[in-house]
Amino acid sequence: MKKLSFIVVGLFLVSCGGAEEDSKDNAENLNEQEVEVVANDSSSNEVLEEEQYIPENEDGNWQIDDYAEMFIGGEIAATAEESNMENAVGWFYQELDLAGGFASVTGAIEGWNEYVIWRMTDGDDLIGTMSVGCGPVCDYAFTFYKGKGKDASPIEMTEIMPMNEIEAHKKEMHEKVLNDDKYGGFDYPEDAQLYFRFPQKGTSMEVDLIVGADELQTTILELTWDKTKFSIKKKYTEIKVII
């Protein structure tokens, strides 16, 4: 906080009948009083933003490994043996397919991250990210980014895919699973997650439903990509168990 000092001058009334010299003397003997005023120090309220890690990219043509390192916030080793444990995570690639635009990354964590890239007609990239945290069961978080290089920013999933229709079919298939006697006995029957299976080849993407604590996973949708957005190509109405 900054302290600002002001001088407050005490004013004294001069009698109308007094002499001019008396007024002058009174003025010379004015009492000066220092008052501290506390003002808000804006600098103390500033939040320092963490510096963003930008991978070296000489030609400006970003590939999936560039995006993976930017989102991770540092370099990613080619293998577990080459990983650097100085960052307490030791990120390394489980799989890296530059031509296919796919990367799977893990380290000293209970889980992993996945990244995939689609090129768009407007010159931007669409980057899908999945973060998986496990212990004891897994939770899947998906975020999509649109842009070019370091300027890519998060977008709402409704901007690139028909989420209302996807959620409606998810609900329908969730109820079908719970009402099928073959799949009873879930520890957490109310839990239902969408799992977007990032393509390692091509641009189409399948969507799974995960019920309970990773107790059942079944494919419910296939999405196609037109370089602008995803559309539903096929809805699966039968339970196709993956796990």
Side-chain angles (χ1 to χ4, degrees), residues 17-86:
E20 186 176 348
E21 284 298 323
D22 291 334
S23 298
K24 196 176 292 185
D25 290 341
N26 287 335
E28 290 176 354
N29 292 318
L30 289 177
N31 292 325
E32 295 185 351
Q33 194 175 21
E34 185 177 44
V35 179
E36 280 191 335
V37 179
V38 178
N40 285 330
D41 184 353
S42 60
S43 63
S44 66
N45 296 324
E46 292 179 358
V47 177
L48 296 178
E49 296 184 2
E50 185 177 348
E51 186 176 350
Q52 184 183 21
Y53 175 84
I54 305 298
E56 294 182 7
N57 189 297
E58 295 180 357
D59 60 5
N61 185 22
W62 281 53
Q63 303 298 332
I64 195 61
D65 56 341
D66 297 313
Y67 285 113
E69 288 192 349
M70 182 178 73
F71 292 130
I72 285 291
E75 294 184 4
I76 302 171
T79 64
E81 291 74 23
E82 298 175 29
S83 62
N84 177 10
M85 291 304 295
E86 288 182 3

Side-chain angles (χ1 to χ4, degrees), residues 108-121:
I109 58 171
E110 294 294 328
W112 73 95
N113 294 349
E114 288 184 8
Y115 306 94
V116 67
I117 185 172
W118 291 269
R119 307 296 187 183
M120 306 185 72
T121 53

Side-chain angles (χ1 to χ4, degrees), residues 188-202:
Y188 305 97
E190 71 281 1
D191 286 355
Q193 298 184 68
L194 287 173
Y195 182 96
F196 295 87
R197 274 200 273 157
F198 290 162
Q200 299 185 33
K201 302 294 180 184

Side-chain angles (χ1 to χ4, degrees), residues 5-240:
S5 297
F6 292 90
I7 303 300
V8 177
V9 181
L11 300 180
F12 293 88
L13 294 176
V14 179
S15 173
C16 294
E20 186 176 348
E21 284 298 323
D22 291 334
S23 298
K24 196 176 292 185
D25 290 341
N26 287 335
E28 290 176 354
N29 292 318
L30 289 177
N31 292 325
E32 295 185 351
Q33 194 175 21
E34 185 177 44
V35 179
E36 280 191 335
V37 179
V38 178
N40 285 330
D41 184 353
S42 60
S43 63
S44 66
N45 296 324
E46 292 179 358
V47 177
L48 296 178
E49 296 184 2
E50 185 177 348
E51 186 176 350
Q52 184 183 21
Y53 175 84
I54 305 298
E56 294 182 7
N57 189 297
E58 295 180 357
D59 60 5
N61 185 22
W62 281 53
Q63 303 298 332
I64 195 61
D65 56 341
D66 297 313
Y67 285 113
E69 288 192 349
M70 182 178 73
F71 292 130
I72 285 291
E75 294 184 4
I76 302 171
T79 64
E81 291 74 23
E82 298 175 29
S83 62
N84 177 10
M85 291 304 295
E86 288 182 3
N87 60 15
V89 176
W91 297 109
F92 64 91
Y93 288 108
Q94 296 185 108
E95 186 169 353
L96 176 60
D97 182 356
L98 293 177
F102 175 84
S104 177
V105 180
T106 192
I109 58 171
E110 294 294 328
W112 73 95
N113 294 349
E114 288 184 8
Y115 306 94
V116 67
I117 185 172
W118 291 269
R119 307 296 187 183
M120 306 185 72
T121 53
D122 62 4
D124 278 352
D125 292 331
L126 178 69
I127 310 100
T129 71
M130 177 179 71
S131 176
V132 184
C134 300
V137 299
C138 295
D139 182 70
Y140 308 90
F142 295 86
T143 306
F144 288 81
Y145 296 78
K146 184 181 184 299
K148 199 72 174 175
K150 63 182 178 63
D151 296 323
S153 57
I155 62 172
E156 296 293 331
M157 294 179 69
T158 52
E159 296 181 43
I160 53 166
M161 60 183 71
M163 287 306 301
N164 289 338
E165 195 173 353
I166 290 173
E167 288 287 351
H169 191 57
K170 167 194 168 186
K171 181 179 178 181
E172 178 184 333
M173 292 302 294
H174 185 205
E175 291 175 352
K176 191 167 189 174
V177 168
L178 296 182
N179 291 327
D180 194 319
D181 294 337
K182 291 187 295 185
Y183 309 110
F186 293 106
D187 292 333
Y188 305 97
E190 71 281 1
D191 286 355
Q193 298 184 68
L194 287 173
Y195 182 96
F196 295 87
R197 274 200 273 157
F198 290 162
Q200 299 185 33
K201 302 294 180 184
T203 58
S204 297
M205 178 167 58
E206 291 188 321
V207 182
D208 296 346
L209 168 69
I210 297 177
V211 181
D214 283 317
E215 294 165 88
L216 180 143
Q217 182 171 342
T218 178
T219 302
I220 62 172
L221 292 161
E222 182 181 351
L223 305 178
T224 57
W225 170 250
D226 66 1
K227 295 189 176 183
T228 301
K229 64 183 184 303
F230 291 98
S231 301
I232 295 177
K233 179 180 180 180
K234 185 174 182 179
K235 291 182 181 179
Y236 295 100
T237 56
E238 298 298 321
I239 300 170
K240 299 175 59 178

